[in-house]
Amino acid sequence: MISKSLKATLICSIVLFSSCKEESKIPEKTMSDNVLIQEWTGPYDGVPAFDKVSVEAIKPAMEEAMKLNLAEIEAIANNTEPATFENTIVAMESAGKELSRVFAYYGIMGSNVSSAEFRKVQAELAPKLSDFRSQISQNEKLFQRIKTVYDASQKTPLEAQAQRVVYLTYKQFEMNGANLNAEKKKRYAEINKELSTLYTDFANNVLHDEENYITYLNEDQLGGLAEGFIKSAAKIATDKGEDGKYAITNSRSSMDPFLTYSTERELRKQVWENYYSRGDNGDEFDNNKIIAEILKLRKERVGLMGYDNYAEWRLQDRMAKTPENAMDLMMAVWPAATARVKEEVADMQTVANELGDKITIEPWDYRYYAEKVRQKKYDLDSEEVKQYLQLDKLTEAMFFTAGELFNYKFTPVAEGSVPVFHEDVKVWEVTDKDSGKHIGLWYLDPFARQGKRSGAWATTYRSSDSFEGEKNVLASNNSNFVKPAPGEAVLVSWDDATTFFHEFGHALHFFSADVKYPTLNGGVRDYTEFQSQLLERWLSTDKVINQFLVHYKTGEPIPATLVEKIKKASTFNQGFGTTEYLASALIDMKLHLADPTDIDIDKFERETLDELGMPKELPMRHRTPQFGHVFSGEGYATAYYGYMWADVLTSDASEAFRESEGGFYDKAVADKLVKYLFAPRNAMDPAEAYRKFRGRDAKIEALMKDRGFPVPKD
Ligand SMILES: [Zn+2]
């Protein structure tokens, strides 16, 4: 009944907002003639009309969809009935369907088939989208209704999923200042404005130092460098007007291989110093004062809402929940990581001595001698490995894994029956192996092309929720493999095969969702990479190896000795990797827990690392003045720990399989995996979900084992 009256108000609002001349004649809100807004038609409960996408249509579609959504929100906010779960939260969950359809196209155009024209549209839409979001987040009437429902739910709890969606919706508003009085709200907005300028300045300063500290080499300074690296260094130098020289730019992709292979120690030192001094050169591009200012403003802002510090505010809706929990985890791993660094340095010193290099290992030597140790101890021929990793076979291996764990069957959809945005895209139907029940469609866009962003990722065009009836899932995986000549196998590296499984893990997380409301499909930053990381583990299980990791010519499975080498190599240099990462994550957290009044960033970093016992042979992965994750925005502020948090869960959960009778294919463990770790997404508190899966909280032992560290005793 409530939804009926709501629909009436909706149509009114749309009439008010519509740019159409014949307003009063619009009978339904889906009558837009823009194809990108229209409901999806065709097979499988409707699929996106990717064959009809055009750059011209996107801007008007987005603008119209935003308008429709704002009208819906206004109608909810201005409802004269008292606020209830149905007329407020459910109504919000139901709103914005046109917008999500447009976003499915917008995402494709931005990531898979981008163009200069589209980027222009994107730039025009960016401020409008940000404006649109603040119009909702700052809607006072809307928030008061959400608060009413939330307060009532605290006295009389709703059923579990309803209770959670109320909590998440309320938190999202509350954490962004919706609960403040007018005066505090004003200050809150001022702080955010100041912060956004500081974030931009911070990022620009790092960029300045990346662009302006280039090391040019002469022909006689190329010792140890690979041919491909030299060629691209020559090209960069030519582009910069230094023909005949070789440019080492001040970026990770240039610094890392140079420090790994160059035999020129003095130059290694120079490249290292340039890189780790970004934003810290004591000039007008120095970031130390900006960081101090950011920390002060962040603390003041969360203080307005009554929080003690930024970390406490940030972590309340994360799996870790408190800064103490995150710190405890990091400090539990830290001693083993730094102890391993000592061993790695000793190994490297031995190699240096054997080579007759009269040196003591310094930070600019670490990668160079580590590579020598790797060649000696863990030599792995990546070309040999590739011959056993064919894209088609890996795809079959993923289907097999999904079949064993999720009981899914993947069947190719006849070409032409489902529209795609590029001829390379293939589509499969996902069904339940036993009941044949339709679950959704899986789109795979495997190959690199002009206009496609780099890397690999997963998305959904339609996610599952059930509050308005069951919905099938349309999910996609996207990679950048090099397209082969017709009829030839695509051979990929071990890393790329792992990533392929990782992204498929995200897709399975989408397919298996069993949530009532769309908001419950959302991710939790320190949790949402765990499911995908976990799926990577099936790549090296016996069943996958024996059936699918077969030589592209002979069909022979990959030899056990080679698999052993791959596994052993995965613990290589973990002292370095874990320590440089943890040092950054610890400083991130400690900076936000400290009192920012009169803070001297440089001194703070130095003294904190000293107290922690940071080995002098390596720096933080991201030193504070260049820590863009934390200071050129808020995405990873007091959240950098999250990578390790997810790693602990991954190792601990795969241990549950390893320990079980059926190993990685144990049916009972797989059932729990789907039921508690995948299907609930954010419908259940992640910590509680994990406990239901494992019977206890995650422990760090398995992670220590995976990284080759000694396992601590209880
Ligand atoms: Zn991922």
Side-chain angles (χ1 to χ4, degrees):
M1 233 179 82
I2 295 157
S3 65
K4 227 181 206 169
S5 70
L6 179 69
K7 199 160 189 185
T9 12
L10 280 182
I11 294 164
C12 297
S13 327
I14 290 146
V15 171
L16 283 174
F17 281 91
S18 175
S19 56
C20 176
K21 286 264 157 31
E22 292 172 288
E23 288 155 345
S24 56
K25 284 186 191 159
I26 302 174
E28 280 292 332
K29 61 173 189 163
T30 46
M31 282 300 280
S32 170
D33 57 3
N34 191 313
V35 69
L36 304 188
I37 286 206
Q38 283 162 11
E39 268 191 59
W40 296 344
T41 56
Y44 307 107
D45 305 334
V47 290
F50 286 130
D51 52 342
K52 297 200 177 92
V53 164
S54 70
V55 176
E56 302 78 60
I58 198 79
K59 197 175 156 205
M62 191 64 93
E63 286 173 343
E64 189 180 342
M66 284 192 283
K67 217 180 270 180
L68 289 169
N69 194 187
L70 280 178
E72 291 172 316
I73 294 297
E74 278 301 315
I76 297 165
N78 296 324
N79 192 338
T80 50
E81 307 266 316
T84 64
F85 175 69
E86 287 293 330
N87 73 16
T88 306
I89 304 295
V90 174
M92 284 175 75
E93 292 293 305
S94 183
K97 292 193 174 72
E98 292 80 7
L99 195 60
S100 14
R101 289 201 288 268
V102 177
F103 265 117
Y105 298 114
Y106 190 72
I108 287 295
M109 291 168 106
S111 302
N112 298 64
V113 289
S114 188
S115 61
E117 294 96 314
F118 177 73
R119 281 189 286 275
K120 241 178 83 188
V121 172
Q122 227 173 358
E124 284 167 24
L125 282 173
K128 293 185 180 185
L129 281 164
S130 134
D131 207 43
F132 161 78
R133 290 192 191 101
S134 7
Q135 283 191 60
I136 297 176
S137 66
Q138 287 163 18
N139 188 319
E140 181 60 35
K141 283 187 193 161
L142 180 69
F143 177 67
Q144 285 314 323
R145 293 183 73 83
I146 295 167
K147 191 170 189 293
T148 303
V149 179
Y150 173 76
D151 289 343
S153 78
Q154 294 304 295
K155 290 186 197 99
T156 319
L158 302 157
E159 59 88 15
Q161 294 213 25
Q163 185 76 0
R164 183 128 179 111
V165 74
V166 171
Y167 165 78
L168 291 172
T169 309
Y170 174 76
K171 266 288 150 193
Q172 201 200 333
F173 279 78
E174 188 260 350
M175 281 179 71
N176 290 300
N179 221 355
L180 299 176
N181 65 29
E183 192 192 335
K184 283 182 174 172
K185 251 187 194 149
K186 197 170 150 245
R187 180 63 194 141
Y188 184 96
E190 282 166 10
I191 292 174
N192 269 355
K193 211 168 160 198
E194 283 176 59
L195 278 173
S196 75
T197 310
L198 291 168
Y199 296 155
T200 312
D201 291 347
F202 181 96
N204 287 342
N205 286 343
V206 176
L207 196 62
H208 171 273
D209 286 359
E210 287 180 351
E211 285 172 349
N212 287 278
Y213 289 78
I214 295 168
T215 309
Y216 288 103
L217 314 179
N218 296 317
E219 197 142 36
D220 57 355
Q221 295 174 316
L222 304 174
L225 302 176
E227 204 178 314
F229 184 82
I230 294 173
K231 268 191 192 153
S232 83
K235 183 168 183 309
I236 298 168
T238 305
D239 291 348
K240 294 193 179 287
E242 297 279 343
D243 214 5
K245 291 193 172 171
Y246 304 85
I248 308 304
T249 59
N250 204 15
S251 64
R252 188 174 290 277
S253 59
S254 225
M255 172 279 291
D256 198 288
F258 185 79
L259 292 188
T260 306
Y261 297 107
S262 172
T263 53
E264 301 283 329
R265 193 172 189 228
E266 274 312 303
L267 285 168
R268 287 206 307 263
K269 184 178 179 198
Q270 189 184 325
V271 167
W272 185 91
E273 280 176 346
N274 284 347
Y275 187 76
Y276 289 102
S277 304
R278 288 169 302 141
D280 195 24
N281 288 304
D283 54 10
E284 60 186 301
F285 303 102
D286 191 288
N287 271 334
N288 285 290
K289 288 218 169 69
I290 292 180
I291 295 164
E293 202 49 45
I294 289 175
L295 291 171
K296 267 177 235 164
L297 288 168
R298 281 181 181 167
K299 181 151 173 125
E300 187 192 341
R301 195 186 68 194
V302 301
L304 292 172
M305 296 180 276
Y307 295 97
D308 218 28
N309 60 64
Y310 184 88
E312 181 197 338
W313 168 80
R314 174 80 286 165
L315 267 61
Q316 59 183 312
D317 65 346
R318 300 280 158 89
M319 185 173 176
K321 291 200 178 74
T322 66
E324 292 72 33
N325 287 338
M327 284 297 291
D328 284 352
L329 162 67
M330 292 193 277
M331 290 313 291
V333 181
W334 177 253
T338 52
R340 175 53 49 85
V341 166
K342 287 208 174 67
E343 294 169 19
E344 286 172 2
V345 171
D347 277 354
M348 293 190 288
Q349 193 64 55
T350 308
V351 169
N353 297 346
E354 281 169 9
L355 290 168
D357 297 348
K358 292 188 175 45
I359 58 126
T360 306
I361 303 290
E362 297 282 354
W364 40 91
D365 299 320
Y366 210 118
R367 290 174 175 82
Y368 180 77
Y369 288 101
E371 173 59 18
K372 301 256 180 272
V373 172
R374 190 189 70 78
Q375 286 170 9
K376 201 170 116 185
K377 272 191 161 177
Y378 302 93
D379 201 19
L380 183 66
D381 180 355
S382 55
E383 285 307 309
E384 189 191 353
V385 177
K386 265 188 178 181
Q387 316 217 322
Y388 297 93
L389 300 171
Q390 308 167 59
L391 185 62
D392 287 350
K393 289 279 175 193
L394 288 168
T395 311
E396 283 177 42
M398 298 192 313
F399 293 165
F400 168 77
T401 304
E404 293 290 306
L405 300 178
F406 293 79
N407 210 41
Y408 289 167
K409 185 179 162 196
F410 286 71
T411 313
V413 161
E415 228 165 286
S417 62
V418 170
V420 291
F421 48 85
H422 189 278
E423 57 180 13
D424 287 347
V425 180
K426 297 278 173 285
V427 187
W428 282 261
E429 185 189 3
V430 187
T431 51
D432 184 90
K433 265 200 305 198
D434 301 323
S435 68
K437 183 180 178 257
H438 172 77
I439 291 158
L441 295 178
W442 184 63
Y443 295 66
L444 175 65
D445 182 15
F447 302 125
R449 78 173 73 87
Q450 181 83 28
K452 188 169 173 181
R453 80 167 162 95
S454 61
W457 65 98
T459 63
T460 41
Y461 310 135
R462 179 162 61 220
S463 298
S464 170
D465 57 62
S466 60
F467 78 120
E468 293 175 323
E470 268 194 54
K471 264 159 82 181
N472 63 345
V473 176
L474 307 179
S476 84
N477 278 159
N478 308 271
S479 320
N480 271 286
F481 298 113
V482 178
K483 197 175 176 175
E488 283 201 24
V490 185
L491 300 179
V492 310
S493 69
W494 184 263
D495 274 357
D496 285 346
T498 306
T499 305
F500 199 41
F501 267 65
H502 174 104
E503 299 306 334
F504 190 62
H506 284 303
L508 291 174
H509 200 185
F510 294 134
F511 284 125
S512 55
D514 181 12
V515 304
K516 207 161 162 190
Y517 304 103
T519 290
L520 303 179
N521 257 313
V524 183
R525 175 147 285 168
D526 57 2
Y527 187 59
T528 188
E529 287 301 320
F530 149 60
Q531 288 82 359
S532 49
Q533 284 181 14
L534 183 60
L535 204 90
E536 295 172 15
R537 304 287 174 119
W538 272 264
L539 174 62
S540 51
T541 56
D542 289 345
K543 284 187 183 179
V544 165
I545 288 172
N546 294 328
Q547 296 178 80
F548 306 103
L549 306 195
V550 295
H551 194 277
Y552 78 111
K553 278 186 181 151
T554 66
E556 287 292 316
I558 188 168
T561 48
L562 195 52
V563 177
E564 215 24 68
K565 270 191 189 174
I566 295 168
K567 286 185 180 165
K568 205 176 148 202
S570 73
T571 63
F572 166 69
N573 224 25
Q574 279 295 344
F576 179 88
T578 307
T579 300
E580 67 156 7
Y581 159 76
L582 274 180
S584 285
L586 284 163
I587 292 283
D588 167 33
M589 198 60 85
K590 282 174 179 275
L591 275 170
H592 288 90
L593 293 170
D595 177 3
T597 333
D598 304 322
I599 193 167
D600 175 339
I601 299 303
D602 198 62
K603 192 168 154 229
F604 184 92
E605 182 186 294
R606 215 171 336 107
E607 290 180 355
T608 309
L609 291 175
D610 270 356
E611 277 163 30
L612 286 166
M614 178 75 177
K616 64 176 181 17
E617 291 86 358
L618 78 167
M620 298 160 65
R621 182 173 172 84
H622 308 279
R623 285 198 52 235
T624 317
Q626 58 221 216
F627 206 169
H629 289 77
V630 178
F631 297 111
S632 58
E634 300 199 21
Y636 279 91
T638 67
Y640 197 62
Y641 77 89
Y643 292 102
M644 178 159 281
W645 191 271
D647 276 355
V648 169
L649 298 173
T650 305
S651 292
D652 190 63
S654 54
E655 196 71 5
F657 279 98
R658 205 173 292 132
E659 287 164 353
S660 71
E661 206 178 306
F664 277 86
Y665 296 91
D666 191 275
K667 290 291 175 206
V669 185
D671 282 350
K672 278 203 258 179
L673 173 89
V674 179
K675 191 169 171 198
Y676 298 121
L677 299 185
F678 276 71
R681 293 194 62 95
N682 201 6
M684 205 188 277
D685 175 77
E688 187 192 329
Y690 194 84
R691 232 168 273 139
K692 287 196 159 145
F693 166 73
R694 199 65 166 108
R696 57 162 173 77
D697 289 329
K699 294 192 207 168
I700 64 163
E701 278 75 0
L703 171 110
M704 302 296 266
K705 238 187 271 173
D706 285 341
R707 296 196 177 201
F709 295 161
V711 176
K713 294 187 188 75
D714 290 327

